[in-house]
C-alpha cells in the first residue's frame, strides 16, 4: 500500500497513547445546558422557544436561517431558563438558550422517521442532513448539507473521508473507526449517493494500523471504495493537504475542494449522517477526547451538546495539581479557555488539560532568518513576512502576500526557534484584511 503525503508540515509528539484504547463512554446529563444558536459557520439560527417553555430531548429550539445555517436541537429534556448572551469556547459571548434539565421528561424524545438507505433519494439525503442539524465535525462546523449541494457546474469525482486526526492527543475519530466501522461506511455511501459520486476514499494516517486494517477488511468486495494510508504528519487532515495526498491534485489559492472535483467529510460527520438517515437521530451528542497529562482520567466521551466544560472535566476525575492550561480542540489549532462554564458545541473534538511540561513558555527573541517556518508551511506561504506585515499594520501588503490563503494551522509557530507567535500575528492580520475587503465590497454595492 502506497503512503500519500504533501510538501511541508511537521510531526509533533502524538500523545495518542493516553486515550487510543479508551472506548467511548456516555456522560450523564448535566443539571443545565447552554445552547448557542450559532454552532455552525453562517447565519445564526432563530430561537423557537421562550423562557418557561418545557422541551423534550431532540426538540428543535432554534431554526436555521438562510442557506449557510443549521438548526439547533436540545440534548436534554427540561425547562427553558433564559435566552441571552453566554460565553462560548471561542472566548466570545453569543446568543444562547439555557435549559434546566427535568428528569420527569426524560422518557420522551423527538426523532425523525427512519429512512431506508437503499431506496433514499439524493434530495431526501440532503433534506435529512439539513433537518438533523449536522455540521462538519472537523472543527469548522460548516453546515454539511451545503457541502452536499455543490453548484451544478461543479463535477464532483471523489468523496474523501478524513480519518487522519493529525492533531496530537485526539483519538475521537480513531475510536469511531474502531467501534463503528459499518456505520461510517454507510455514511460514506450516503454522501456519495447525495453527490452522485462513484469513488469514495477513507484517508487514514499510518499511525493507526488497526483502523486501516479493519476498514480495509470491511470494504473488501465493495465497488468504488478504498482505504488510503497516509504519512503521519501535521496538518495531513487539512482539506487541501488531504486532497493532494490522496489524488495528487492541488487546490489553487482562493478555490475550494469542489473546484478540483473533491468533497471532504470528517469521520464523525459520516457517522452522524448514518444516524440521521437510518435511526432518525438529530445531532445532539458531541463525541470528544478528554486528554492531556493534567486530567486525572483521560477518556473518549459522548457528551450532550451544551454541557459545561467543567462538568466534562469533573466526570474525568478533575485536574491534577500541576495542570496549567485547558484547551478546547487540539493543541495546534485549539482555543485556550478562561471560563469553564462555556459549553461543549456540536463540533467540539477535544478538551485538553495540559501541564507545564506540555506547553512552551520560552521567551520570544528576534527572528533568526533560519527559514524553518517557510519550509514547514504546507501552503508555500512566507509566514515571517506575513507576520511582520501584520505587526506593522501594513494590511494591504499582507493582502498582496496572500495572507487570506493561510489556514492558521500553526506549523510556522511550532517550528520557530525564536518563539515568535507567527500564527497569532497572521490570524490578526488576516482578520483586518477580511474586514478591509468587506468594507470595499460595501462601497462598491
Amino acid at each position: 500500500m502506497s503512503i500519500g503525503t504533501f510538501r511541508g508540515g511537521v510531526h509533533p509528539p502524538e500523545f495518542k497513547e493516553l486515550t487510543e484504547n479508551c472506548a467511548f463512554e456516555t456522560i450523564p446529563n448535566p443539571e443545565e445546558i447552554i445552547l448557542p444558536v450559532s454552532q455552525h459557520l453562517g447565519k445564526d439560527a432563530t430561537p423557537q422557544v421562550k423562557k418557561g417553555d418545557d422541551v423534550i430531548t431532540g426538540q428543535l429550539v432554534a431554526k436555521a436561517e438562510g442557506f449557510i445555517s443549521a438548526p439547533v436541537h436540545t440534548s436534554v429534556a427540561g425547562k427553558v431558563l433564559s435566552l441571552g448572551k453566554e460565553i462560548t469556547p471561542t472566548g466570545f459571548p453569543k446568543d444562547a438558550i439555557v435549559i434546566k434539565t427535568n428528569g420527569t421528561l426524560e422518557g420522551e424524545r423527538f426523532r425523525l422517521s427512519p429512512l431506508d438507505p437503499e431506496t433514499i433519494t439524493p434530495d431526501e439525503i440532503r433534506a435529512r442532513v439539513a433537518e438533523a442539524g449536522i455540521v462538519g465535525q472537523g472543527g469548522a462546523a460548516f453546515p454539511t448539507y451545503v457541502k452536499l449541494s455543490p453548484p451544478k457546474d461543479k463535477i464532483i469525482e471523489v468523496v474523501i473521508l478524513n480519518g487522519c486526526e493529525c492533531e496530537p492527543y485526539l483519538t475521537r475519530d480513531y475510536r469511531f473507526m474502531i467501534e463503528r466501522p459499518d456505520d461510517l461506511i454507510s455514511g460514506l455511501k450516503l454522501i456519495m449517493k447525495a453527490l452522485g459520486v462513484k469513488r469514495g476514499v477513507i484517508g487514514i494516517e499510518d499511525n493507526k494500523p488497526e483502523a486501516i486494517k479493519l476498514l480495509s477488511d470491511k470494504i473488501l468486495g465493495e465497488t468504488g471504495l478504498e482505504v488510503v494510508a497516509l504519512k503521519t504528519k501535521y496538518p495531513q487532515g487539512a482539506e487541501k493537504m488531504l486532497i493532494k495526498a490522496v489524488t495528487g491534485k492541488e487546490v489553487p489559492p482562493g478555490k475550494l475542494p469542489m473546484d478540483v472535483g473533491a468533497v471532504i467529510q470528517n469521520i464523525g460527520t459520516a457517522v452522524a449522517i448514518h444516524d440521521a438517515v437510518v435511526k432518525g437521530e438529530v445531532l445532539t451528542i458531541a463525541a470528544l477526547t478528554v486528554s492531556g497529562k493534567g486530567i486525572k482520567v483521560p477518556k473518549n466521551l459522548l457528551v450532550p451538546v451544551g454541557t459545561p466544560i467543567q462538568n466534562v472535566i469533573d466526570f474525568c476525575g478533575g485536574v491534577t495539581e500541576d495542570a496549567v492550561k485547558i484547551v478546547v480542540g487540539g493543541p495546534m489549532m485549539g482555543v485556550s479557555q478562561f471560563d469553564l462554564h462555556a459549553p461543549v458545541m456540536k463540533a467540539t473534538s477535544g478538551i485538553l488539560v495540559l501541564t507545564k511540561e506540555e506547553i512552551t513558555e520560552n521567551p520570544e527573541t528576534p527572528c533568526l532568518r533560519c527559514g524553518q517556518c517557510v519550509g514547514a508551511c504546507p501552503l508555500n506561504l512566507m509566514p515571517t513576512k506575513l507576520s511582520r506585515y501584520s505587526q506593522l499594520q501594513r494590511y494591504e501588503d499582507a493582502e498582496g502576500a496572500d495572507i487570506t490563503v493561510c489556514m492558521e494551522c500553526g506549523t510556522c509557530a511550532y517550528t520557530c526557534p525564536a518563539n515568535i507567535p507567527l500564527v497569532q500575528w497572521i490570524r490578526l492580520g488576516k482578520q483586518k484584511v477580511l474586514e478591509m475587503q468587506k468594507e470595499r465590497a460595501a462601497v462598491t454595492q
Side-chain angles (χ1 to χ4, degrees):
M1 186 178 288
S2 62
I3 305 296
T5 189
F6 62 96
R7 176 207 164 274
V10 292
H11 188 172
E14 298 175 19
F15 299 111
K16 303 281 189 183
E17 71 280 1
L18 294 173
T19 55
E20 63 186 352
N21 293 318
C22 298
F24 281 122
E25 296 179 45
T26 300
I27 187 173
N29 286 345
E31 292 183 359
E32 183 179 299
I33 63 167
I34 303 115
L35 293 175
V37 296
S38 178
Q39 299 195 46
H40 50 268
L41 202 63
K43 194 173 181 181
D44 288 3
T46 301
Q48 302 295 297
V49 293
K50 61 183 184 302
K51 183 179 178 180
D53 283 355
D54 288 324
V55 294
I56 62 171
T57 304
Q59 180 177 327
L60 176 74
V61 294
K63 181 181 176 185
E65 290 293 344
F67 184 59
I68 303 179
S69 182
V72 179
H73 305 80
T74 173
S75 59
V76 300
K79 188 180 288 293
V80 177
L81 274 186
S82 66
L83 288 82
K85 298 285 186 186
E86 298 287 342
I87 195 70
T88 69
T90 64
F92 296 98
K94 291 185 177 180
D95 289 335
I97 300 166
V98 179
I99 297 173
K100 184 174 180 58
T101 54
N102 181 343
T104 62
L105 296 172
E106 281 299 316
E108 296 183 66
R109 184 183 183 90
F110 172 78
R111 278 191 172 87
L112 301 166
S113 300
L115 299 170
D116 185 345
E118 298 298 324
T119 60
I120 191 171
T121 68
D123 284 342
E124 287 173 332
I125 295 171
R126 283 188 284 271
R128 174 52 58 92
V129 168
E131 190 174 10
I134 298 173
V135 300
Q137 302 293 292
F142 194 76
T144 300
Y145 86 97
V146 179
K147 271 193 174 182
L148 300 184
S149 311
K152 290 184 178 177
D153 63 331
K154 303 295 182 185
I155 307 300
I156 307 302
E157 299 170 343
V158 59
V159 171
I160 304 174
L161 278 195
N162 180 1
C164 295
E165 201 164 46
C166 57
E167 278 268 14
Y169 293 96
L170 303 185
T171 58
R172 178 199 71 160
D173 292 348
Y174 175 70
R175 292 312 309 177
F176 269 138
M177 290 188 277
I178 294 296
E179 296 183 39
R180 300 189 62 184
D182 294 323
D183 295 342
L184 78 86
I185 291 170
S186 167
L188 172 58
K189 290 179 178 177
L190 288 165
I191 297 166
M192 293 167 65
K193 191 171 189 177
L195 293 165
V197 171
K198 300 297 183 187
R199 185 188 178 201
V201 177
I202 306 172
I204 307 173
E205 284 190 335
D206 60 1
N207 63 348
K208 305 174 186 66
E210 289 187 22
I212 292 172
K213 182 178 187 314
L214 177 60
L215 287 168
S216 296
D217 290 345
K218 288 285 182 181
I219 63 169
L220 278 177
E222 296 271 8
T223 302
L225 298 186
E226 57 188 296
V227 172
V228 174
L230 303 169
K231 187 174 181 179
T232 299
K233 187 167 66 170
Y234 181 86
Q236 183 68 80
E239 285 192 333
K240 292 183 177 180
M241 279 59 262
L242 188 53
I243 292 170
K244 173 68 176 175
V246 171
T247 71
K249 295 181 179 179
E250 292 191 4
V251 181
K255 297 293 184 180
L256 298 170
M258 68 173 68
D259 291 308
V260 295
V263 165
I264 311 294
Q265 296 284 0
N266 180 267
I267 290 289
T269 310
V271 173
I273 291 173
H274 165 85
D275 288 347
V277 170
V278 177
K279 300 178 181 176
E281 291 183 357
V282 296
L283 185 57
T284 61
I285 300 295
L288 54 91
T289 299
V290 185
S291 189
K293 296 180 180 177
I295 190 80
K296 287 187 176 175
V297 187
K299 294 175 181 286
N300 281 301
L301 295 176
L302 301 175
V303 179
V305 172
T307 300
I309 292 170
Q310 184 66 63
N311 290 59
V312 179
I313 290 174
D314 291 344
F315 184 73
C316 295
V319 304
T320 60
E321 289 185 0
D322 55 347
V324 296
K325 189 174 187 178
I326 295 176
V327 174
V328 165
M332 298 297 285
M333 294 189 73
V335 179
S336 298
Q337 301 297 298
F338 67 89
D339 187 341
L340 300 184
H341 191 59
V344 168
M345 309 274 273
K346 288 181 183 180
T348 298
S349 57
I351 297 173
L352 306 183
V353 184
L354 306 176
T355 60
K356 194 169 184 177
E357 71 174 271
E358 295 172 282
I359 64 173
T360 301
E361 289 187 309
N362 296 327
E364 180 180 339
T365 63
C367 176
L368 305 175
R369 300 189 182 281
C370 63
Q372 289 194 40
C373 61
V374 178
C377 178
L379 293 175
N380 300 316
L381 297 173
M382 299 282 285
T384 45
K385 182 183 285 188
L386 296 175
S387 169
R388 193 66 179 151
Y389 283 151
S390 180
Q391 290 182 60
L392 297 173
Q393 300 183 19
R394 291 169 56 181
Y395 301 126
E396 291 189 351
D397 290 330
E399 183 182 26
D402 290 331
I403 195 169
T404 56
V405 172
C406 174
M407 60 181 172
E408 304 173 23
C409 66
T411 53
C412 54
Y414 180 82
T415 58
C416 180
N419 303 305
I420 300 172
L422 293 166
V423 70
Q424 287 80 4
W425 277 115
I426 293 172
R427 188 176 294 147
L428 176 64
K430 188 175 165 183
Q431 289 173 353
K432 295 292 184 184
V433 169
L434 291 174
E435 289 172 9
M436 197 168 66
Q437 292 176 340
K438 192 179 290 185
E439 289 172 4
R440 274 193 217 127
V443 170
T444 56
Q445 283 180 350

